[in-house]
Amino acid sequence: MVNEKMTIEKEKLPKGFEGHSDTGMHFRSAEPKGPQNNMRFGGRGGGPGALGRAIEKPKDVKKTLKRLLSYFSDSKNLLLLLMIAVIAVTLTSLAAPALQGEAIDGITLRKWGDLPRLLVALLCVYLVQVGCTLAQTLLSAHLSKNIVKRLRHDLFKKIENLPIKYTDVHSNGDIMSRMTNDVENISATVSQSLGSLISGVLTIIGTVSIMFYYCWQLTLITFVTVIFTVLVTGKMSKMMRKIYRKRSAVLGQLNGHAEEMITGYRSIVAYNKQNDVIEEFNETSDELMRVGTRAEILGGSMGPIMNCISNISFVIVAAFGGFFALKGFITVGIISAFIIYSKQFSRPINEIAHLYGSIQTAIAGAERVFALIDCPDENRDGSETMENTKGRISFKNVNFSYTPEKQVLYDFSLDVEPGQKIALVGATGSGKTTVVNLLMRFYPIDSGEISIDGVNINDIDRDELRHNISIVLQDTVLFSDTIESNIKYGNREATDEEVRHAAEMSNSAYFIERLPDGYSTYLKQAGKNLSQGQRQLLAIARAVLADPKILILDEATSSVDTRTEKNIQEAMVNLMKDRTSLIIAHRLSTIQDADKIVVMDAGRVVEIGNHEELLAKQGRYYDLYMTQFAGNSI
C-alpha cells in the first residue's frame, strides 16, 4: 500500500506507536548489535562478549517474567525433567569432591579396603553427571524451542491482523527485529541460562553448606578470595561494557558507511568522489582498530586475571589447610576437597553475573514482543455481504487525518455510479491514495460516511469488502513463488485456463510464454529477476483473475513504457466493463476517457468533470494538462 507521505514528530505519536517508519517518519530505533555480542569465554554464559554487551533493561520485570512463564504451561513435563536433571548434576558436582577427598584420605591413611568402593562410587558419580548434563542440554533445547514456537506463532498471528496504521509508524525492520532478534534472545536465555541459573544457585548453597560442615574456619578464609573475585569481575565488567559498547557503535558506523557507499556506488563514480569515500572509510576503520584493540586486550585479560585470583585462592587454601591438617583439625583429603569446592563456589557466582545481562536483555525483548502481541487487532466489525452489489460508491462529507494535528481530507464528497470509470488526479500529497485507503477500510474515518450500494462499509464484513475490491498498487508486491502462484493470489481456485486468460487480458502473456519455464518460472527475491513493468503486468493479471466488483488502479501503469501502457489501456477497457473503477494517475494520458475526473488539492475536491469539460474550464486540471503536454509552467 502506498500512503500519503506524512512527517510526524515522535512526541506527537499515540502511545505505543514508537519506532522508525519507511515513509519518511523518524522514531526511536534499537541500538546496533555486533557479532561481538556472541563471544564467550570460560564456559557457558561467560566472557568478554557477555560482559561487554549493552544490557537492555526491561520496564516491568515482574509482569513480563510472569507472562513469559505462562508459556511454560504446555511444557510442564519437560520443565519437570529439566529440574530433575539440573538437581542431579548439582548433587553429583557436590558429591564428587567429597568422594575424591575420602579416596585421598584412604591412600594417606593406608585404608586400602575402602579405596575400590570409593573409586567405583566416584566413577558412577562422574558417569551420572555426564549423562544428566547431556539430558539437561537436550531438555533445555527442547523447552526453548517449544516456548519460542508458541511465541512466534502468537507474534506472527498478531502481525497478520495488525491495523495498517501500526505498519505505517513502525518500520519493517522494527517488526522483524521482534520476530527474530528478540525471540532468539528469549530462546538463548531459556536454552543456555535457565539451567545454569538454577544449577548455580543450588551449587552455591550446597557448596557453602559442605564447606562449613568440613571446616568453618577455612570456609571464611576462602570467602576472602571469593569476595575479591566478585569485586574484580564487577569492576572489569563495567569497564568492558563501556569499551564494547563503543566498539559496537563504531562498527555500526563502519557497516552503515560501507553499505551506503556500495548502494550509491554509481553516484560516487559519477561525481568522482572515490578518494573522499576511501578517506572517510579509513578514518572510521582506524577508529574501529583503536577501539577494537583496547576491547580485545581488556577482554583477553579477563581469563588470566581470573586464573591468577584462582591460583591465589589455591595457595591460601593449601597454606591454611596444611596448617590446620598439622594441627589435626582436618585431613589431607578435606584440603583437596576444599580446593575443588572453592573453585566450584566462585564459578557459579561469575556465571550468574555473566547471565544477568543476557536475562535482562531477554526480558526486555519479551516486553517488546508482548507489546506487539497486545496491540489491538484490525477492526473486523460488520456482517453485511456484497453478493448482489452493483458497485455504487458514495463518499459523504468525509474528514480524515492520519494524526490529529494534520488533516488530510476535508469534507470530501463523491458519488460513483455502477460501472463508472472515475479518475483521481492532483499533486502529490493531495489525498488521492487516502481516498482508496479509506474505501478499503485500511483506516477508520474521522467523520462522514462511505457506503457501497447504500450500505455503510463499516457494516460490511471486512473480508467480504476486500474480496470484492481489487487494487493494483504503484509499488508492486509479488512473492517468491512461481508466476502462476502469484497470479492465482487473486483467486486460489482459478483453473490454468483462467490464469492464462488473465495474463492475456493484462498483456503479460507474451513475456511469460517467452520465459524458459513459462508460468512455472520461479520469481527470485519477490520478482527481482523481472523488470518493474513486468511485475506491474503480473499484478494487473492478478487483479483480473480476482474478478472484482470494484477495481482500484493506483498508478498501475507508472513503470511501463508507452507502448505497453497503450496495450494495458486497451485491455483495461474490457476489464473495467460493467465494473466500478477508481484510477489514481499522474499521467493524464491514461485517464482522458474517464467518465468523471476528480481534481484534488490539499485534501479538497476542486474540480469534477470529464476531460473536455475540465479543459474548457481552464482551471486546475487545465494547468496540469498543459504542464504535461504543452510544456507550459503553471
Side-chain angles (χ1 to χ4, degrees):
M1 184 193 63
V2 179
N3 297 306
E4 305 298 336
K5 302 299 182 183
M6 304 177 291
T7 302
I8 301 178
E9 300 293 338
K10 176 182 175 181
E11 60 271 13
K12 296 179 182 179
L13 283 174
K15 184 178 181 181
F17 287 91
E18 300 175 339
H20 173 79
S21 171
D22 294 327
T23 58
M25 312 173 205
H26 299 281
F27 312 96
R28 176 175 57 82
S29 61
E31 291 185 13
K33 294 178 174 62
Q36 70 277 7
N37 291 345
N38 296 323
M39 294 171 58
R40 302 270 184 178
F41 108 95
R44 297 163 79 181
L51 295 173
R53 182 183 300 130
I55 298 175
E56 299 178 68
K57 295 183 178 180
K59 298 176 182 177
D60 191 338
V61 176
K62 185 177 180 181
K63 180 180 178 182
T64 305
L65 195 56
K66 182 178 179 181
R67 185 167 179 182
L68 187 58
L69 290 175
S70 67
Y71 279 82
F72 287 76
S73 58
D74 289 344
S75 304
K76 291 180 179 178
N77 292 335
L78 273 178
L79 187 60
L80 178 61
L81 291 174
L82 177 61
M83 293 300 101
I84 293 173
V86 169
I87 292 172
V89 171
T90 304
L91 291 177
T92 53
S93 66
L94 294 174
L99 291 173
Q100 183 177 318
E102 288 187 34
I104 291 174
D105 283 340
I107 295 172
T108 57
L109 299 176
R110 299 182 182 278
K111 295 180 180 180
W112 307 111
D114 294 337
L115 193 57
R117 175 183 60 81
L118 292 171
L119 293 176
V120 171
L122 190 60
L123 177 62
C124 292
V125 165
Y126 283 135
L127 290 175
V128 171
Q129 187 178 39
V130 170
C132 290
T133 301
L134 178 61
Q136 177 184 331
T137 303
L138 295 175
L139 291 169
S140 295
H142 281 294
L143 182 63
S144 69
K145 295 310 174 187
N146 286 354
I147 293 169
V148 166
K149 180 182 177 182
R150 286 189 59 197
L151 267 176
R152 281 208 176 104
H153 177 271
D154 292 348
L155 191 56
F156 191 78
K157 183 179 179 181
K158 170 57 66 174
I159 290 173
E160 291 302 302
N161 290 280
L162 283 173
I164 297 297
K165 185 174 184 179
Y166 186 94
T167 62
D168 280 344
V169 297
H170 287 75
S171 70
N172 296 338
D174 176 67
I175 297 174
M176 286 301 299
S177 179
R178 301 180 194 223
M179 174 67 79
T180 55
N181 292 346
D182 291 336
V183 173
E184 281 303 318
N185 283 336
I186 297 170
S187 174
T189 299
V190 173
S191 64
Q192 298 178 14
S193 303
L194 182 62
S196 298
L197 182 63
I198 298 171
S199 176
V201 173
L202 294 178
T203 299
I204 291 173
I205 295 172
T207 301
V208 172
S209 301
I210 294 174
M211 290 172 70
F212 267 106
Y213 172 77
Y214 278 142
C215 181
W216 64 268
Q217 298 94 333
L218 196 56
T219 301
L220 294 177
I221 294 172
T222 304
F223 281 177
V224 174
T225 57
V226 172
I227 294 172
F228 184 58
T229 301
V230 173
L231 292 175
V232 172
T233 302
K235 183 67 175 177
M236 292 196 67
S237 298
K238 185 177 180 180
M239 294 169 60
M240 291 168 65
R241 270 194 292 270
K242 182 178 179 180
I243 191 67
Y244 270 82
R245 190 179 293 116
K246 185 175 181 180
R247 188 180 78 165
S248 179
V250 177
L251 180 62
Q253 292 175 10
L254 186 69
N255 290 338
H257 180 77
E259 180 184 2
E260 188 177 63
M261 294 307 103
I262 293 171
T263 304
Y265 181 70
R266 287 179 180 270
S267 298
I268 294 170
V269 174
Y271 286 94
N272 197 29
K273 294 292 184 180
Q274 294 95 320
N275 292 332
D276 294 341
V277 168
I278 292 171
E279 185 177 345
E280 292 174 7
F281 180 86
N282 288 339
E283 288 178 1
T284 308
S285 180
D286 291 342
E287 176 65 15
L288 179 61
M289 183 186 70
R290 288 191 293 269
V291 175
T293 301
R294 291 173 56 194
E296 292 300 328
I297 291 174
L298 191 59
S301 65
M302 175 65 87
I305 291 175
M306 291 297 103
N307 287 334
C308 181
I309 296 175
S310 178
N311 292 333
I312 292 173
S313 175
F314 171 81
V315 172
I316 292 174
V317 171
F320 281 92
F323 175 76
F324 290 152
L326 291 175
K327 293 295 183 180
F329 295 153
I330 57 177
T331 64
V332 176
I334 292 177
I335 297 174
S336 173
F338 247 94
I339 292 173
I340 298 174
Y341 281 129
S342 64
K343 290 187 176 182
Q344 195 165 280
F345 177 69
S346 60
R347 179 184 56 80
I349 292 178
N350 289 330
E351 271 195 0
I352 292 173
H354 296 155
L355 292 174
Y356 174 79
S358 299
I359 294 171
Q360 289 283 85
T361 300
I363 295 175
E367 269 190 343
R368 288 192 293 272
V369 170
F370 293 142
L372 180 52
I373 291 177
D374 290 339
C375 284
D377 286 344
E378 185 181 10
N379 184 8
R380 301 177 65 94
D381 294 343
S383 57
E384 295 288 335
T385 64
M386 295 180 65
E387 291 181 2
N388 300 313
T389 186
K390 296 179 180 178
R392 180 181 291 107
I393 304 173
S394 177
F395 292 83
K396 295 182 180 178
N397 308 115
V398 174
N399 291 283
F400 174 75
S401 56
Y402 290 101
T403 59
E405 297 80 10
K406 186 176 181 181
Q407 190 166 342
V408 178
L409 291 183
Y410 298 84
D411 197 31
F412 180 83
S413 296
L414 176 66
D415 291 316
V416 183
E417 295 300 319
Q420 275 193 328
K421 179 181 178 181
I422 306 298
L424 301 175
V425 301
T428 300
S430 59
K432 306 183 298 298
T433 300
T434 298
V435 171
V436 299
N437 286 342
L438 299 180
L439 179 61
M440 294 287 290
R441 273 180 62 179
F442 288 156
Y443 301 90
I445 61 176
D446 296 338
S447 63
E449 181 183 81
I450 304 174
S451 61
I452 297 178
D453 291 344
V455 180
N456 192 312
I457 62 170
N458 291 324
D459 297 329
I460 301 174
D461 179 77
R462 187 200 66 176
D463 295 340
E464 180 79 4
L465 173 71
R466 293 175 184 171
H467 178 72
N468 284 276
I469 301 176
S470 282
I471 182 169
V472 180
L473 303 172
Q474 179 180 4
D475 295 331
T476 305
V477 177
L478 298 177
F479 301 95
S480 296
D481 205 336
T482 63
I483 288 179
E484 182 178 12
S485 295
N486 271 279
I487 296 176
K488 277 189 174 182
Y489 203 77
N491 180 7
R492 290 297 187 188
E493 306 301 322
T495 63
D496 293 344
E497 183 179 348
E498 289 172 330
V499 170
R500 281 154 179 75
H501 177 69
E504 291 172 359
M505 288 284 290
S506 65
N507 277 0
S508 59
Y510 79 94
F511 82 82
I512 296 175
E513 292 170 357
R514 291 179 182 178
L515 296 172
D517 297 321
Y519 289 86
S520 299
T521 300
Y522 190 86
L523 299 183
K524 298 178 182 178
Q525 298 181 17
K528 292 296 183 182
N529 48 337
L530 298 179
S531 69
Q532 178 63 27
Q534 290 172 330
R535 293 200 294 270
Q536 281 194 321
L537 291 173
L538 291 181
I540 294 171
R542 184 161 59 195
V544 172
L545 193 63
D547 192 23
K549 302 288 176 44
I550 298 171
L551 182 66
I552 298 173
L553 303 175
D554 187 351
E555 289 289 344
T557 61
S558 63
S559 296
V560 297
D561 57 78
T562 305
R563 181 179 178 181
T564 304
E565 179 185 51
K566 186 175 183 298
N567 292 336
I568 291 176
Q569 285 181 281
E570 292 174 357
M572 287 302 176
V573 172
N574 294 326
L575 174 61
M576 291 185 288
K577 186 177 181 180
D578 299 327
R579 289 188 176 90
T580 305
S581 304
L582 295 178
I583 303 172
I584 298 174
H586 285 293
R587 291 159 70 170
L588 303 184
S589 61
T590 62
I591 47 89
Q592 291 182 16
D593 62 337
D595 298 310
K596 190 185 295 184
I597 298 173
V598 180
V599 184
M600 299 185 65
D601 184 33
R604 294 179 172 86
V605 177
V606 293
E607 289 180 333
I608 296 181
N610 60 33
H611 177 68
E612 290 75 15
E613 291 171 348
L614 294 178
L615 285 181
K617 286 183 180 180
Q618 295 193 1
R620 182 63 177 165
Y621 180 80
Y622 176 83
D623 292 337
L624 291 172
Y625 182 84
M626 294 303 292
T627 300
Q628 287 192 21
F629 295 99
N632 295 339
S633 300
I634 297 177

